[in-house]
């Protein structure tokens, strides 16, 4: 795989898992959990770091300019590996049959031509904007999801709240020291190192030591013997981390809100069409969504999974059959609580005059409006909290309505 130097440095800077996956979960129950109406909402945020090619994931096959721009990697509705038609205009990459099934069941949706307010195509800054929730980079060291959590009514501590990976993703970082994160590199830790870590915390924080011990057991159960040969495989680890996270979140006393980060989406070269590098990555993401569905069991009906990336990729492929840093892309929603079966888009068109700066899919939807809509419908956060605390200075960006049943 060929990634740009900036993205490799960023991966190192953020200290993610070697295999490209991290998981963090909030360690407290909101007080509305097990509400009288029987709803017990859960939220999973999946960050795809490296910039996802939205035009290759959900292809606008009905746009007459799409095939010419995306050239050899353009998806088609026919041939040996046809894309999966979502409606008469948009088609899903064939590597995502599980998401397609959820879409047919009206438990998944696509928001197309979406972007954060960021426009300068740097992974460093784009990911900071995506995860911090501010309109520009370098503003704070806390994340929008953590600020949303701090706005919820806090209940009892959840001993199984864990962060898997050397660092908590920025989207869930914040200033409240009582939130209770436990950063642990579970998938890569050998048994001796892991047990020494548990023993260390046994004296400092017995509750946390118990959580780590439980997490190790879940990790072993999630990995199994079949994972040993593929350790370090980012695609396999997408499923592995999702499986372990789902087990934690399915428990009555488990975390209700979690964030995962997957690396490797910087497809500058040899991106591939229905087969190839992007197809492999999308298959891993598709499998991770399926793991959440099966692992959460009855909790899936109250769950929303939000999949987002820092920006899109160019509408025209480059000379190495890849795509460069772009602007507009897609966001995906999945879960039993999603009002799905829809591609939501104010489609801008792909004619040269309609492209952003003559090269990118023009964004027509602010990603913050999508996330605001989910947070409001799932957890009842007010317009004011969303505009002033979660996404500061964003009052003009209204929550998108009707995303959650």
């Amino acid at each position: 795989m060929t990634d740009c130097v900036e993205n490799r440095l960023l991966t190192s800077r953020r200290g993610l898992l070697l295999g490209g996956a991290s998981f963090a979960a909030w360690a407290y129950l909101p007080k509305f959990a097990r509400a009288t109406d029987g709803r017990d909402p859960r939220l999973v945020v999946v960050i795809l770091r490296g910039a996802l090619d939205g035009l290759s994931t959900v292809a606008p096959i009905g746009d007459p300019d799409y095939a010419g721009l995306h050239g050899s990697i353009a998806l088609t509705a026919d041939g040996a590996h046809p894309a999966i038609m979502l409606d008469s205009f948009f088609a899903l990459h064939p590597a995502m049959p599980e998401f397609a099934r959820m879409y047919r069941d009206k438990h998944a949706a696509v928001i197309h031509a979406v972007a954060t307010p960021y426009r300068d195509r740097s992974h460093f800054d784009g990911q900071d904007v995506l995860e911090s929730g501010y309109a520009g980079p370098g503003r704070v060291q806390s994340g929008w999801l953590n600020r949303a959590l701090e706005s919820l009514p806090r209940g009892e501590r959840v001993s199984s709240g864990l962060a898997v990976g050397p660092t908590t993703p920025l989207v869930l970082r914040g200033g409240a020291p009582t939130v209770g994160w436990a950063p642990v590199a579970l998938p890569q830790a050998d048994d001796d190192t892991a047990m020494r870590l548990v023993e260390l915390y046994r004296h400092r924080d017995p509750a946390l030591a118990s959580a780590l011990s439980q997490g190790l057991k879940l990790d072993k159960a999630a990995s199994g013997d079949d994972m040993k040969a593929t350790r370090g495989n980012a695609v396999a680890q997408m499923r592995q981390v999702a499986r372990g996270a789902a087990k934690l979140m399915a428990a009555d006393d488990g975390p209700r809100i979690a964030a995962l980060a997957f690396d490797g989406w910087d497809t500058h070269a040899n991106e591939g069409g229905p087969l190839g590098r992007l197809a492999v990555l999308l298959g891993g993401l598709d499998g991770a969504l399926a793991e959440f569905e099966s692992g959460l069991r009855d909790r899936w009906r109250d769950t929303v999974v939000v999949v987002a990336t820092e920006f899109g990729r160019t509408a025209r492929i480059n000379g190495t059959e890849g795509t460069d840093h772009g602007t507009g892309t897609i966001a995906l929603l999945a879960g039993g609580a999603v009002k799905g079966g829809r591609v939501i888009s104010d489609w801008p068109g792909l004619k040269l005059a309609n492209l952003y700066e003559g090269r990118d899919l023009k964004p027509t939807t602010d990603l913050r409006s999508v996330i605001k809509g989910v947070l409001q419908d799932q957890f009842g956060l007010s317009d004011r909290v969303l505009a002033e605390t979660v996404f500061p200075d964003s009052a003009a960006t209204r929550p998108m309505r009707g995303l959650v049943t």
Side-chain angles (χ1 to χ4, degrees):
M1 296 184 184
T2 303
D3 291 317
C4 70
V5 173
E6 183 199 18
N7 200 45
R8 292 199 300 272
L9 289 172
L10 181 58
T11 300
S12 176
R13 183 187 76 171
R14 289 188 183 274
L16 300 181
L17 293 180
L18 182 62
S22 63
F23 162 60
W26 201 46
Y28 286 86
L29 285 182
K31 285 186 178 177
F32 55 75
R34 295 189 287 273
T36 54
D37 63 1
R39 240 184 126 251
D40 191 357
R42 283 160 171 76
L43 173 66
V44 180
V45 177
V46 179
I47 304 294
L48 305 182
R49 291 184 176 147
L52 171 67
D53 185 353
L55 292 173
S56 284
T57 305
V58 179
I61 287 181
D63 191 306
D65 296 292
Y66 165 69
L69 288 170
H70 247 44
S72 62
I73 67 171
L75 300 183
T76 61
D78 50 22
H81 304 282
I84 305 165
M85 296 304 298
L86 298 178
D87 55 26
S88 61
F89 191 86
F90 292 104
L92 181 68
H93 198 286
M96 301 191 72
E98 297 291 345
F99 185 86
R101 174 183 54 78
M102 296 176 194
Y103 184 94
R104 289 193 299 270
D105 292 341
K106 300 190 184 305
H107 291 162
V110 178
I111 299 91
H112 219 313
V114 69
T116 72
Y118 180 72
R119 294 290 180 271
D120 291 332
R121 304 186 184 93
S122 160
H123 289 300
F124 284 96
D125 293 340
Q127 290 174 20
D128 281 349
V129 170
L130 170 64
E131 298 188 47
S132 75
Y134 279 75
R139 300 283 294 276
V140 291
Q141 291 302 311
S142 68
W144 60 263
L145 184 52
N146 190 76
R147 294 193 299 274
L149 293 171
E150 291 175 344
S151 301
L152 297 178
R154 183 170 297 176
E156 68 269 23
R157 192 172 196 268
V158 178
S159 63
S160 60
L162 295 176
V164 178
T167 61
T168 301
L170 172 61
V171 69
L172 262 172
R173 286 188 217 157
T178 57
V179 167
W181 297 107
V184 188
L186 290 183
Q188 274 72 44
D190 59 74
D191 290 344
D192 289 342
T193 301
M195 291 313 298
R196 285 198 300 272
L197 188 61
V198 171
E199 192 61 30
L200 172 65
Y201 278 105
R202 197 181 307 281
H203 300 289
R204 295 183 179 180
D205 187 338
L208 184 52
S210 175
L212 300 184
S213 180
Q214 179 186 4
L216 288 168
K217 291 176 183 177
L218 286 176
D219 178 60
K220 287 186 177 182
S223 300
D225 291 339
D226 61 318
M227 287 297 301
K228 292 179 180 178
T230 58
R231 191 170 296 272
N233 182 312
V235 172
Q237 284 199 357
M238 286 189 216
R239 298 195 68 140
Q240 178 187 1
V241 172
R243 188 181 308 135
K247 287 184 178 181
L248 285 171
M249 298 184 75
D252 284 343
D253 63 346
R256 266 53 178 178
I257 297 153
L260 291 79
F262 297 141
D263 291 324
W265 300 84
D266 198 17
T267 51
H268 278 289
N270 303 315
E271 180 177 317
L275 301 175
R277 177 185 173 186
L278 181 62
V280 172
L281 290 168
L282 290 174
L285 175 63
D286 197 54
L289 295 175
E291 293 287 354
F292 270 110
E293 181 185 32
S294 61
L296 284 168
R297 303 187 299 277
D298 292 344
R299 308 298 188 189
W300 180 250
R301 70 179 183 180
D302 293 330
T303 297
V304 174
V305 182
V306 178
V307 182
T309 190
E310 67 258 37
F311 45 70
R313 309 198 71 83
T314 48
R316 188 181 300 279
I317 62 171
N318 58 32
T320 58
E321 297 192 326
T323 50
D324 298 321
H325 298 180
T327 309
T329 184
I330 60 169
L332 302 177
L333 302 179
V338 173
K339 188 176 180 181
R342 301 178 292 161
V343 178
I344 303 167
S345 179
D346 177 11
W347 186 248
L350 294 176
K351 293 187 181 302
L352 181 61
N354 296 335
L355 296 179
Y356 179 73
E357 296 186 345
R359 52 174 276 167
D360 305 334
L361 174 64
K362 180 180 179 180
T364 56
T365 298
D366 192 318
L367 179 62
R368 293 174 298 177
S369 71
V370 178
I371 298 171
K372 281 184 174 184
V374 171
L375 289 173
Q376 191 162 79
D377 288 348
Q378 278 291 80
F379 303 115
L381 293 180
S382 68
D383 285 352
R384 181 176 179 178
V385 167
L386 291 169
E388 297 180 2
T389 302
V390 181
F391 294 99
D393 303 318
S394 67
T397 303
R398 305 293 296 172
M400 186 177 286
R401 306 295 183 184
L403 296 176
V404 177
T405 55

